[in-house]
Amino acid sequence: MRHLLDTASLDRAEALRILDVAEDMRDTQSREVRKLPTLRGKTVVNLFFEDSTRTRISFEAAAKRLSADVINFSAKGSSVSKGESLQDTAQTLQAMGADAVVIRHGASGAPHTLATSGWITAGVINAGDGTHEHPTQALLDAFTIRKRAFGDDSRGRDLAGMHVAIVGDILHSRVARSNVWLLTLLGARVTLVAPPTLVPQDVSAWPARVVYDLDEAIAAAPDAVMMLRIQLERMNAAYFPTEREYSRRWGLDAERLAALPDGSIVMHPGPMNRGLEISADAADSPRSTVLEQVANGVSVRMAALYLLLAGERTDTNAEEDAR
Ligand code: NCD
């Protein structure tokens, strides 16, 4: 794999390969010594132009557990705030010998620009670009759904026959976009649930059903309900009357939680607005996979870095290194 820019252009075999390598990585994380020598001598740069807590830390942990050197670069306090362009920043990283660049950027398409510009030779991983895509988030979500469903028997399996409801601020969500492409690629059925104002205009071209009523979506007994954060920082207008009204109609409260069938899980990519899109009862219930998603994120990002930076090696190397 040369870059990981989106899920829309992944094929099924590539997606399953990342998830299966992530299984190998996860197995190594329960040992006493969690560090693998695999990426010794490689340099991974975390280039974050937008705020992030868990994604940046997750990539850092993943790179370090593979023994790569990690350079964290956040736009705040850097020359970017003095107006340095993406090109100059990229060329600086190239001169420093970056082997992989993990980029989060407010502009949709920035990772693609970086990967195809010729400014750098490093592999590029998209850690979230504007409202476009967030592929490692969708991969860790798919990994989490698969793990809850199949446990130790997950390898090689897709999500055929599963039904996932994605609820909330679809309009501004790169997590929703990446998940719609990946989940359907893996055979799942996706229902989007949102107020009409938070549904993207081009949604009819997406492989998903849209409903406006959360109770109707819950009555359809989804295997997973993925709650999205209301992205107030991307809203320059009023998309719903009040927060109270939003949480009454589209929030996952105790009553809706109780209406979910046994075995269905509650997901959230974080950060959560507790009391808005998700109640504390739902976030902290045994159905909630929020912390599993965070833990699985490290394994999935280890897999992505491994496939990008050690990809020319044979398939059995991951397993050998894991021994
Ligand atoms: C998501 C993001 O940044 O797109 N968060 C994350 O990566 N954990 C979702 C969000 O910010 O709501």
Side-chain angles (χ1 to χ4, degrees):
M1 193 164 65
R2 179 80 184 95
H3 305 291
L4 178 57
L5 301 177
D6 53 43
T7 59
S9 60
L10 284 179
D11 65 34
R12 186 176 175 281
E14 283 170 326
L16 286 177
R17 173 103 178 95
I18 299 169
L19 297 182
D20 288 352
V21 172
E23 288 284 343
D24 295 341
M25 295 302 176
R26 184 179 183 276
D27 287 349
T28 69
Q29 296 308 295
S30 53
R31 300 189 194 156
E32 208 175 323
V33 179
R34 290 190 290 188
K35 199 153 171 157
L36 307 179
T38 320
L39 298 185
R40 206 182 285 150
K42 302 276 189 192
T43 299
V44 175
V45 177
N46 281 327
L47 184 57
F48 279 64
F49 294 89
E50 255 190 12
D51 292 340
S52 166
T53 312
R54 70 212 81 217
T55 303
R56 193 184 57 71
I57 294 174
S58 181
F59 270 108
E60 182 170 354
K64 286 184 169 164
R65 291 193 190 158
L66 293 169
S67 302
D69 294 321
V70 180
I71 298 174
N72 286 314
F73 179 106
S74 67
K76 271 194 199 119
S78 76
S79 294
V80 171
S81 53
K82 299 180 189 162
E84 189 169 22
S85 68
L86 183 60
Q87 175 173 3
D88 289 328
T89 305
Q91 285 169 332
T92 304
L93 302 178
Q94 173 72 14
M96 285 178 189
D99 296 294
V101 176
V102 176
I103 177 174
R104 168 167 290 196
H105 201 288
S108 300
H112 185 264
T113 301
L114 194 61
T116 55
S117 60
W119 300 328
I120 57 169
T121 53
V124 175
I125 298 182
N126 178 3
D129 62 330
T131 58
H132 175 228
E133 281 233 29
H134 191 355
T136 59
Q137 179 68 44
L139 285 158
L140 76 87
D141 290 335
F143 184 96
T144 301
I145 295 170
R146 191 173 80 154
K147 199 80 197 158
R148 275 274 182 133
F150 304 114
D152 290 340
D153 195 24
S154 291
R155 281 186 183 75
R157 291 193 187 254
D158 65 14
L159 304 179
M162 302 204 71
H163 175 202
V164 180
I166 305 180
V167 186
D169 187 356
I170 315 283
L171 180 65
H172 299 104
S173 181
R174 51 201 179 202
V175 175
R177 286 173 181 76
S178 285
N179 263 297
V180 165
W181 309 126
L182 182 66
L183 294 173
T184 53
L185 178 72
L186 294 173
R189 185 157 60 86
V190 175
T191 302
L192 303 173
V193 190
T197 48
L198 290 175
V199 173
Q201 278 194 332
D202 63 343
V203 81
S204 57
W206 297 15
R209 199 167 76 95
V210 180
V211 306
Y212 303 105
D213 184 318
L214 180 53
D215 294 309
E216 179 190 335
I218 286 178
D223 298 288
V225 181
M226 186 182 294
M227 304 307 296
L228 298 174
R229 184 175 64 89
I230 290 291
Q231 302 201 14
L232 294 167
E233 79 279 18
R234 294 190 210 276
M235 295 187 184
N236 50 10
Y239 287 88
F240 47 87
T242 62
E243 295 195 355
R244 201 184 139 88
E245 172 73 359
Y246 182 88
S247 77
R248 191 178 67 75
R249 295 189 58 185
W250 290 283
L252 189 62
D253 58 13
E255 207 177 311
R256 291 184 173 125
L257 182 71
L260 282 170
D262 286 346
S264 70
I265 61 174
V266 171
M267 312 180 78
H268 194 301
M272 293 186 273
N273 294 309
R274 281 177 182 253
L276 181 51
E277 71 267 0
I278 190 165
S279 69
D281 308 272
D284 302 328
S285 85
R287 291 171 185 284
S288 164
T289 59
V290 171
L291 295 176
E292 276 162 63
Q293 288 169 267
V294 174
N296 292 337
V298 177
S299 304
V300 164
R301 288 167 179 132
M302 287 174 78
L305 288 167
Y306 171 84
L307 290 168
L308 229 72
L309 292 176
E312 62 281 3
R313 297 147 56 105
T314 61
D315 286 1
T316 51
N317 283 137
E319 289 130 44
E320 266 165 32
D321 286 348
R323 258 179 225 133

